[in-house]
């Protein structure tokens, strides 16, 4: 990454701000000294914001500049800088041209990324043959990032795999390692959320909707939308969250401190399912947990104490949509967000009749009873 925007935003005038501070601080000698320093700082910030030459002088005195790949182009002062080293984080999410913008200003590069997670280009776009032909580009031209190209072509001494991860506890990490990284990923973290397994059974749970019969099926898209929802799965997730809330209230599950709330992330592959879960949660109040609902495509880079993944799809035709074999990166991203607890909500029989990453995940959960479980929901 390299320099981002150097813009300072002021919502109120300096005089108004100083008057407000003076009222808050009082009339003591120390307060007056502090007020004078704040006045000097405010004047300095205003000059930096308005005088681009001062920004250039300031940047020349810094050793590290951070920002987005393309954001620093908006500031003329940064465009003149050269760097000894450019570190591009999340490089697998940057297009080739985005990555080259900061790299062109540096003598050496370090690119950090994961080719097993989502690329910058929408995978659906790649399946639009007409669009590719219209612009005379191949699928390889579109999908290959600079990071992927370097991973494929650089000699071994120029590449290094980071084999240890510390986000996920070992049971979750082992699942991800086996199903998506050929067993190469190690997970030293063993301490989980106290009481979680006492309430939910295992760190990794597949909550099977099969006992619901026809109610487990997805809802067909209506109108112009092609997005699916699954009301049964949405209801089950709300119920699981209510169980979690009661367990925290009764101190069966204990966050690290009494003040710390439990972070929960709910992930779904379809926008309609995200909306369905969000609507149901709006009718429920949680005291000790913070719940965020997101689509798979927007969740990369996020993490939470506990994650629920709603698979959404279940139909007699065996249609997988965003969960099919071509979308294994999406599944990897969805399942690898959790620190302490992962619950996959979906129709096990439906997944068992398919091929791809989710079938491998289901088989892993069934075969590792010490760390994982398949639990049928109540009909």
């Amino acid at each position: 990454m390299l320099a981002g925007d150097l813009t300072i935003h002021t919502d109120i005038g300096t005089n108004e701000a100083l008057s407000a501070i003076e009222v808050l601080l009082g009339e003591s000698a120390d307060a007056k000294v502090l007020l004078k320093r704040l006045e000097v700082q405010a004047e300095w910030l205003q000059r930096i914001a308005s005088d681009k030459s001062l920004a250039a002088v300031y940047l020349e005195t810094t050793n590290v500049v951070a920002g987005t790949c393309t954001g620093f182009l908006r500031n003329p002062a940064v465009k003149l800088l050269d760097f000894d080293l450019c570190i591009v984080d999340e490089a697998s999410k940057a297009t080739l041209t985005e990555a080259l913008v900061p790299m062109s200003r540096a003598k050496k590069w370090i690119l950090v990324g994961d080719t097993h997670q989502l690329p910058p280009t929408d995978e659906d776009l790649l399946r639009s043959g007409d669009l590719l032909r219209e612009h005379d580009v191949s699928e390889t031209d579109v999908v290959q990032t600079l990071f992927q190209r370097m991973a494929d072509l650089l000699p071994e001494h120029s590449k290094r795999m980071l084999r240890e991860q510390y986000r996920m506890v070992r049971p979750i990490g082992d699942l991800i390692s086996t199903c998506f990284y050929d067993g190469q990923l190690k997970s030293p973290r063993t301490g989980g959320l106290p009481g979680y397994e006492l309430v939910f059974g295992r760190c990794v749970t597949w909550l099977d909707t099969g006992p619901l019969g026809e109610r487990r099926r997805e809802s067909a898209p209506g109108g112009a939308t092609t997005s699916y929802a699954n009301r049964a799965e949405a209801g089950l997730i709300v119920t699981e969250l209510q169980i979690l809330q009661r367990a925290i209230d009764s101190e069966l599950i204990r966050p690290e401190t009494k003040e710390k709330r439990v972070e929960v992330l709910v992930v779904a592959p379809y926008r309609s399912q995200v909306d369905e879960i969000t609507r149901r949660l709006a009718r429920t109040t949680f005291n000790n947990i913070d719940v965020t609902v997101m689509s798979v495509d927007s969740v990369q880079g996020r993490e939470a104490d506990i994650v629920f993944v709603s698979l959404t799809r279940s139909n007699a035709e065996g249609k997988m949509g965003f969960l099919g074999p071509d979308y294994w990166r999406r599944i990897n991203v969805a399942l690898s967000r959790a620190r302490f607890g992962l619950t996959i909500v979906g129709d096990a029989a439906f997944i068992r009749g398919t091929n791809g990453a989710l079938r491998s995940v289901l088989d892993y959960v069934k075969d590792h009873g010490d760390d994982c479980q398949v639990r049928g929901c109540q009909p």
Side-chain angles (χ1 to χ4, degrees), residues 139-176:
E139 181 176 326
T140 302
D141 294 331
V142 175
V143 75
Q144 190 174 53
T145 62
L146 182 62
F147 183 76
Q148 181 68 66
R149 184 181 293 269
M150 289 188 167
D152 292 339
L153 300 179
L154 284 177
E156 290 304 314
H157 63 72
S158 296
K159 299 182 289 186
R160 181 181 177 187
M161 179 176 180
L162 303 179
R163 299 180 184 275
E164 292 189 355
Q165 67 80 29
Y166 292 89
R167 173 196 296 159
M168 301 170 278
V169 292
R170 184 195 53 77
I172 303 174
D174 286 354
L175 163 68
I176 299 301

Side-chain angles (χ1 to χ4, degrees), residues 76-376:
V78 185
K79 281 195 274 187
L80 302 176
L81 293 179
D82 290 322
F83 298 90
D84 296 316
L85 175 66
C86 170
I87 302 175
V88 183
D89 192 20
E90 293 285 357
S92 54
K93 286 288 290 180
T95 64
L96 187 146
T97 50
E98 284 174 336
L100 284 175
V101 170
M103 291 169 62
S104 65
R105 308 301 304 176
K107 300 173 183 176
K108 297 180 180 180
W109 314 323
I110 296 177
L111 276 65
V112 184
D114 185 350
T115 58
H116 290 200
Q117 297 202 12
L118 289 173
T121 307
D122 190 323
E123 291 171 338
D124 266 357
L125 176 64
L126 300 177
R127 286 159 180 77
S128 176
D130 292 342
L131 190 60
L132 294 178
R133 285 190 291 272
E134 178 184 345
H135 294 278
D136 193 26
V137 294
S138 68
E139 181 176 326
T140 302
D141 294 331
V142 175
V143 75
Q144 190 174 53
T145 62
L146 182 62
F147 183 76
Q148 181 68 66
R149 184 181 293 269
M150 289 188 167
D152 292 339
L153 300 179
L154 284 177
E156 290 304 314
H157 63 72
S158 296
K159 299 182 289 186
R160 181 181 177 187
M161 179 176 180
L162 303 179
R163 299 180 184 275
E164 292 189 355
Q165 67 80 29
Y166 292 89
R167 173 196 296 159
M168 301 170 278
V169 292
R170 184 195 53 77
I172 303 174
D174 286 354
L175 163 68
I176 299 301
S177 177
T178 301
C179 294
F180 299 100
Y181 294 92
D182 298 323
Q184 298 183 67
L185 197 62
K186 306 303 178 186
S187 302
R189 187 173 187 175
T190 57
L193 186 63
Y196 182 84
E197 292 187 54
L198 179 65
V199 175
F200 290 100
R202 296 288 186 274
C203 290
V204 178
T205 297
W206 188 297
L207 185 56
D208 182 17
T209 61
L212 298 179
E214 285 303 307
R215 287 193 293 134
R216 73 188 188 278
R217 300 301 194 187
E218 69 210 31
S219 298
T225 180
T226 58
S227 186
Y228 292 83
N230 190 309
R231 296 183 181 88
E233 290 185 16
L236 286 171
I237 288 172
V238 173
T239 299
E240 293 289 300
L241 290 172
Q242 291 169 336
I243 293 172
L244 174 63
Q245 177 67 72
R246 291 194 293 269
I248 297 173
D249 288 341
S250 62
E251 298 187 351
L252 288 174
I253 292 179
R254 299 176 301 281
E256 295 176 356
T257 65
K258 287 187 177 296
E259 294 77 20
K260 179 175 172 58
R261 297 166 66 87
V262 174
E263 298 175 351
V264 178
L265 185 60
V266 182
V267 184
Y270 291 93
R271 173 53 56 184
S272 290
Q273 183 67 350
V274 169
D275 294 341
E276 177 70 23
I277 297 170
T278 301
R279 281 194 296 270
R280 289 173 181 257
L281 289 175
R283 302 194 293 266
T284 308
T285 301
F286 297 107
N287 301 321
N288 298 311
I289 58 178
D290 295 321
V291 184
T292 304
V293 187
M294 302 181 74
S295 67
V296 177
D297 289 338
S298 60
V299 82
Q300 186 159 307
R302 296 291 295 266
E303 60 183 83
D305 297 327
I306 299 169
V307 172
F308 292 87
V309 179
S310 173
L311 301 184
T312 308
R313 299 305 299 267
S314 173
N315 53 74
E317 296 78 24
K319 294 181 178 179
M320 296 282 286
F322 286 154
L323 306 180
D326 293 335
Y327 294 96
W328 61 272
R329 289 182 178 85
R330 268 195 176 95
I331 299 165
N332 179 28
V333 168
L335 302 186
S336 59
R337 304 301 98 197
R339 300 187 191 106
F340 306 124
L342 171 65
T343 297
I344 304 165
V345 183
D347 183 355
F350 171 72
I351 298 300
R352 201 174 293 119
T354 65
N355 295 313
L358 273 177
R359 171 64 185 271
S360 299
V361 170
L362 177 58
D363 290 342
Y364 181 95
V365 172
K366 289 172 54 184
D367 294 341
H368 293 77
D370 290 341
D371 296 327
C372 312
Q373 65 179 353
V374 178
R375 173 163 59 91

